[in-house]
Amino acid sequence: MKIAVYSTRRYDKTMLTEANAGAGHELRFMEDRLTSTSAVLAKDCEAVCVFVNDNVDAEVLGILAMQGTRLIATRSTGYNHIDAQAAQDMGIAVVRVTDYSPHSVAEFAVGLLLAVNRKIARASNRTRDGNFDLEGLMGFDLHGKTVGVIGTGKIGLIFARIMAGFGCSLVGYDMFPSPAFEALGGRYVSIDELLRCSDVVSLHCPLTPETHHIVDAASLARIKRGCILVNTSRGGLVDTECAIAALKTGQLGGLAIDVYEQEASLFFQDLSSTIITDDVIQRLVAFPNVIVTGHQAFFTVEAIGQIMRTTIESITDFALGRTLRNRIPAP
Ligand code: NAI
């Protein structure tokens, strides 16, 4: 099949080409994000392969459908960037990658938590500058603290297991309680109780209309004062302006994010020589108790290898008329 691959970086090209070696699909790599303007580049491609910041809305799907696209394959677990209803209405199948190293994201969330709590990035910047002073670098023991996990699916569960290893108490919030979480000693509570009692809150639920701004002014007012919030899931879960207000008052003790609601125009590119006009992200990175990374939690050899192999397998299954195991559920 001819596949248009959007938002391609060097590692995508190398690893997708490797995964495709035995399958023999024709890959058309493009650095551009998929938008209504760049959709024309996928002309005659039956499959279009996208990533998290590609815009796969009804307008774009309409253009792709007219040009002969019948399959969208996203190199991600989350699919909030795809209008699944519009795709279904236009007869375009959508596949994602459900099973790739959830450890990659869970381990990174723990790394972010440690970095913000123990000020590791600040300390490293200081020592590079010959400053070995400890003033301002004090954190707190995670041992004995309460960690709230919102979304105890694959990633949330592994995050919880690691935090149990630190000696933390676990509380969880999910519509589908997991016996494995309870086996770790985790206790399911209401979201209000979770916010009220947690020293650390980590978000691991998908972005849906129900979870959009699950962390907003009202929930930030209810969190335990000084709580650290970790978000490796999707930027839209957090109302960033409200998080900034809570950081200013000290209600929020720290913020560690790998995702950002307005990340589409920023992430996955080098903007270090340009003037960044997004004042919210500029404000965020200026806080000493905030750490921001550019959506890299999934970025391990194991995860990327699996993402590329699964993507090619799904496309081959589609080409051969087989059942699509990773098809996204009907809306
Ligand atoms: P999963 O489907 O295994 O788990 C998600 C959990 O969230 C499920 O248990 C589900 O019941 C729960 N959930 C759904 N709606 C909820 C709600 N309204 N309130 C509370 N819980 C709710 O998914 P997985 O693999 O653990 O991934 C979680 C999320 O992590 C993805 O949706 C994606 O947004 C994000 N992610 C981020 C990556 C990164 O590089 N930063 C990479 C991969 C995933």
Side-chain angles (χ1 to χ4, degrees):
M1 273 181 105
K2 270 191 201 167
I3 311 169
V5 186
Y6 281 90
S7 296
T8 303
R9 296 291 172 269
R10 198 157 45 87
Y11 47 86
D12 293 303
K13 195 170 179 177
T14 309
M15 296 185 81
L16 200 60
T17 302
E18 243 170 57
N20 187 42
H25 297 293
E26 189 182 324
L27 302 172
R28 186 185 295 171
F29 289 108
M30 284 159 298
E31 283 184 23
D32 307 60
R33 278 176 61 215
L34 173 61
T35 62
S36 54
T37 312
S38 65
V40 67
L41 301 172
K43 195 167 178 339
D44 301 329
C45 290
E46 281 178 289
V48 168
C49 183
V50 298
F51 196 45
V52 290
N53 289 327
D54 287 312
N55 176 14
V56 198
D57 64 11
E59 184 193 1
V60 170
L61 284 163
I63 300 170
L64 294 176
M66 273 196 323
Q67 295 176 165
T69 295
R70 294 185 300 127
L71 176 71
I72 302 288
T74 183
R75 309 190 290 282
S76 61
T77 300
Y79 54 94
N80 51 285
H81 52 301
I82 301 171
D83 186 334
Q85 183 67 61
Q88 192 181 48
D89 295 346
M90 293 177 203
I92 297 178
V94 181
V95 288
R96 61 176 174 150
V97 184
T98 46
D99 282 314
Y100 68 88
S101 177
H103 300 277
S104 60
V105 183
E107 289 173 9
F108 194 79
V110 177
L112 282 182
L113 170 59
L114 290 172
V116 81
N117 175 31
R118 304 303 299 272
K119 285 88 176 162
I120 295 173
R122 286 191 79 197
S124 172
N125 288 340
R126 277 191 194 180
T127 54
R128 273 171 196 239
D129 203 28
N131 176 357
F132 300 93
D133 189 3
L134 298 186
E135 198 58 53
L137 300 184
M138 193 181 290
F140 58 81
D141 281 10
L142 287 168
H143 182 268
K145 298 295 187 301
T146 299
V147 173
V149 185
I150 298 184
T152 55
K154 287 186 288 293
I155 296 170
L157 182 63
I158 295 169
F159 175 81
R161 191 174 296 138
I162 300 172
M163 298 321 296
F166 274 71
C168 298
S169 300
L170 300 170
V171 289
Y173 173 71
D174 198 306
M175 295 103 69
F176 300 100
S178 147
F181 180 73
E182 290 174 316
L184 290 171
R187 197 166 52 88
Y188 282 101
V189 294
S190 67
I191 191 153
D192 274 4
E193 187 178 345
L194 183 145
L195 296 171
R196 205 170 45 243
C197 73
S198 299
D199 301 288
V200 173
V201 171
S202 194
L203 305 178
H204 298 289
C205 57
L207 176 61
T208 62
E210 294 75 45
T211 60
H212 181 252
H213 288 184
I214 196 168
V215 177
D216 58 7
S219 47
L220 285 161
R222 292 199 299 273
I223 57 164
K224 185 168 176 179
R225 190 167 175 81
C227 171
I228 292 181
L229 176 67
V230 182
N231 186 10
T232 54
S233 196
R234 284 293 180 269
L237 297 177
V238 178
D239 184 329
T240 317
E241 303 266 10
C242 296
I244 289 175
L247 283 162
K248 283 184 183 169
T249 62
Q251 172 69 358
L252 193 56
L255 179 66
I257 55 172
D258 183 50
V259 286
Y260 168 58
E261 194 163 15
Q262 309 305 331
E263 70 178 53
S265 57
L266 297 170
F267 285 10
F268 307 115
Q269 49 192 325
D270 179 0
L271 301 176
S272 56
S273 304
T274 64
I275 305 296
I276 293 177
T277 52
D278 182 330
D279 292 343
V280 176
I281 194 98
Q282 295 295 70
R283 181 71 182 95
L284 269 185
V285 295
F287 282 101
N289 52 349
V290 172
I291 187 158
V292 180
T293 51
H295 208 139
Q296 69 174 86
F298 70 101
F299 202 50
T300 65
V301 174
E302 291 80 1
I304 300 290
Q306 190 58 47
I307 288 171
M308 299 312 181
R309 284 191 295 278
T310 304
T311 300
I312 292 294
E313 276 164 25
S314 294
I315 294 171
T316 302
D317 285 346
F318 182 83
L320 298 177
R322 294 186 194 139
T323 308
L324 297 175
R325 279 167 299 137
N326 293 306
R327 194 169 189 155
I328 65 165

